[in-house]
Amino acid sequence: MNRTTATLAASTTLIEQSIRQYCRLLKMPTLAAQFDRLAQTALREGHSHVQYVEALLAAEVEERERKAVLRRIQEARLPRVKTLEEFEFSQSPLQASRLADLAGGGYIERAEPIVLIGEAGTGKTHVAISLCVAACRQRRRVRFTTAAALINELVEARAENQLSRALGRWERVEVVCIDELGYVPLADVGAELMFQVIADRAEKAALIVTTNLPFSEWGQVFPNPRLCKAVLDRVTDRAHILESGDTSYRFRRTLAKRGQKHE
């Protein structure tokens, strides 16, 4: 390497270090990581300097959006990540087109509830999680919980004189998903706290509920008839009611696997 080449290389290294420093100051880590690779691509493919800058900024925005969605999913506290693309619609009465429309997020804008009714193993939780993931991808604030976990959290907050603060946190979430409503009867205190969460969202924010009970049997969950009527009124008003059926495709899948093993 002659002196001129060495000087040029040293100058290039200083410039690259300077670019990385600017990126740190501007908090643009993706640009710092990719500017050199994209520069080589631009030279090789004959792109203009404007196209190069566009590619850099696009890479930065894309990575920020990916991280923002990931952060929303983590904040949602989903038990696992599932999507509608993974759902076995061939084994369910649920319609792919209707769920795809809901995944578009219009129900969030209109503060409309979604109620998934069906027996265990019919895909209610899978669909609910999928709708939550779709909302996270739209950068919505989402929170998933089971009915039992929600009641436990609120009862503890009440015991610590923090109930108003806890209810406020739930009220600020754009999409609340309450899973497994109906599997465990609620005591009077729990029923009242559940009503508060549901009532606070009525016509103001989206709610997703999964339940194994038809509406006629919700009295098993909310023993107080007046409270039960008030909950039903708010949950069903302008709601999208989806029935996942009474035959567990999860159980059918298990039987099919066993049958294959014995063949």
Side-chain angles (χ1 to χ4, degrees), residues 153-163 166 189-190 192-193:
E153 177 185 328
L154 296 177
V155 167
E156 289 178 9
R158 184 184 181 186
E160 297 170 0
N161 295 318
Q162 298 291 321
L163 182 58
V189 172
E192 291 172 7
L193 293 173

Side-chain angles (χ1 to χ4, degrees), residues 192-211:
E192 291 172 7
L193 293 173
M194 179 68 74
F195 171 73
Q196 282 188 261
V197 172
I198 292 172
D200 285 344
R201 307 192 66 74
E203 298 187 31
K204 293 187 292 186
L207 174 70
I208 300 173
V209 173
T210 76
T211 179

Side-chain angles (χ1 to χ4, degrees), residues 36-88:
D36 185 53
R37 180 183 64 80
L38 290 175
Q40 296 300 323
T41 300
L43 285 172
R44 184 171 61 253
E45 298 181 4
H47 295 164
S48 69
H49 62 282
V50 174
Q51 290 173 310
Y52 169 60
V53 172
E54 180 191 31
L56 275 179
L57 295 177
E60 183 69 40
V61 169
E62 182 179 334
E63 182 63 10
R64 289 190 181 192
E65 289 182 348
R66 187 190 70 81
K67 288 182 177 179
V69 169
L70 181 60
R71 185 165 57 252
R72 291 296 190 199
I73 290 174
Q74 291 172 337
E75 291 171 351
R77 302 186 186 181
L78 302 173
R80 52 201 170 276
V81 175
K82 289 182 175 291
T83 65
L84 289 178
E85 289 77 14
E86 300 168 341
F87 188 73
E88 297 179 37

Side-chain angles (χ1 to χ4, degrees), residues 129-204:
I129 290 173
S130 298
L131 292 174
C132 288
V133 170
C136 289
R137 288 174 175 169
Q138 296 160 21
R139 308 279 288 275
R140 301 286 190 173
R141 294 187 304 278
V142 179
R143 181 72 187 279
F144 180 99
T145 183
T146 62
L150 175 58
I151 295 304
N152 288 339
E153 177 185 328
L154 296 177
V155 167
E156 289 178 9
R158 184 184 181 186
E160 297 170 0
N161 295 318
Q162 298 291 321
L163 182 58
S164 294
R165 182 175 296 180
L167 289 171
R169 286 196 298 269
W170 284 98
E171 191 174 359
R172 288 190 293 273
V173 177
E174 293 175 273
V175 181
V176 167
C177 179
I178 303 175
D179 194 30
E180 298 179 350
L181 182 64
Y183 284 83
V184 180
L186 301 178
D188 289 344
V189 172
E192 291 172 7
L193 293 173
M194 179 68 74
F195 171 73
Q196 282 188 261
V197 172
I198 292 172
D200 285 344
R201 307 192 66 74
E203 298 187 31
K204 293 187 292 186

